[in-house]
Amino acid sequence: MSETTLFREPKNRKLLLSAGFSWLFDAMDVGLVSFIAAALSVDWNLNAQQIGLLAAINSTGMAFGAAVSGSLADRYGRKAVLLWTLLLFSVASGLSALAPNLLVLSILRFIAGFGLGGELPVASTLVSESVPEKVRGRAIVLLESFWAGGWILAALISYFFIPHFGWRMALVIGAVPAIYALFLRRSIEDSPRYKEQAGKTKLTFSERMASIWSAKYQRATITLWILWFTVVFSYYGMFLWLPTVMVMKGYTLVKSFQYVLIITLAQLPGYFTAAYLIEKVGRKGVLAVYLLMTAICAIWFGNATTAGMLLTAGIFLSFFNLGAWGAMYAYTPELYPTSVRSTGVGFAAAFGRIGGIIGPYLVGMLIDKGTSITSVFVVFFVAIVIGALTVLFFGVETKGTDPDRVVKE
């Protein structure tokens, strides 16, 4: 079954588009934070460490949200948790526009991050459980491609609205997903696999945690936690700082937004190539190659001295990094059976979000101490290489496998 056939099936198309647009709004919110940070540094006279702290607080909320929501989704269903997390982050994002100072904004960004961090692993689990096995990986990468659409939308909003109407208006627009949540309530259903277990006795939280750390899944869990940590650490450390790094390299706020928009567009072909290759080559191969290329591009970007070099390196960095993200989201749910899947995915994502907390804050701290951008990107190079090698040597290939079938056997 190809991508075309995948979208021809009404149920698959409806699910991918419904979950995909929730993913798009999530990405728009994260993207807006990175652009707003650059504007806040001017408007509120924030230093690099304060900007890093704001990004870290948002990621802290995402870590808690992923862990809590992942566990709740195994207990109460994917659909219910998906809707509540989407609504929570939308309302908090909208209220952020009224924040009078950094403290209030940080609290609201924590709440928004909680909803955001909870929605992502639940949505990927729902789609993974709902589509045919032969196109499962491709479907998840295509779902993840909506993330690029959200970042592009954030870049457009920031480019056209922030310079003229201020950063508060950008956050007001970020509240739009609250309306979408009402539509989503009627357009999606819980996955068939989850419904099959509706009448069965569900595992307690402690039983699910014991399962993902049992001898059978321990290697997979450790591999995923390392992978998620290194990928999220490097992504949020690099991309949340992208507009600000552009300003530090001497470009105006408007020009930096323009460059980041161009770089963001490269995410789409990154996703689409990964979506094609993941069912041809397999999960491990795509993850390892795309991560290693991301590491090389990180060094290239950190050493860029001209506008042309900066743009070219940024485009390739965006292409490979987001392709790897898509493969990671496809890979993660395939390692656990339905009974513990959302818990396993949620806690892997939650541990990864710890990297998302450390990454942006570390960048701010290093810059405040006078560390060069080149040296900062060396840190990300090392982290990404560790993630790639972990998957290559300790990961198992999940293409064409069914963890529920393995459990029954």
Side-chain angles (χ1 to χ4, degrees), residues 86-149:
L86 182 62
L87 194 63
L88 181 66
F89 106 78
S90 304
V91 172
S93 181
L95 289 175
S96 297
L98 304 175
N101 52 49
L102 183 60
L103 175 62
V104 175
L105 182 61
S106 297
I107 293 170
L108 289 169
R109 290 317 308 170
F110 175 87
I111 298 171
F114 185 96
L116 175 68
E119 192 272 333
L120 294 173
V122 175
S124 63
T125 300
L126 174 63
V127 174
S128 182
E129 291 176 342
S130 302
V131 299
E133 186 179 301
K134 288 183 179 179
V135 290
R136 187 176 57 206
R138 186 164 293 163
I140 296 298
V141 181
L142 290 174
L143 168 68
E144 172 74 359
S145 71
F146 280 85
W147 186 269

Side-chain angles (χ1 to χ4, degrees), residues 37-79:
L40 280 175
S41 65
V42 177
D43 196 10
W44 284 357
N45 195 30
L46 302 181
N47 59 36
Q49 198 164 346
Q50 287 173 311
I51 294 172
L53 180 62
L54 179 64
I57 287 171
N58 194 71
S59 292
T60 304
M62 292 178 76
F64 280 99
V68 173
S69 299
S71 179
L72 290 176
D74 274 334
R75 187 76 177 173
Y76 300 105
R78 286 51 165 143
K79 177 183 175 180

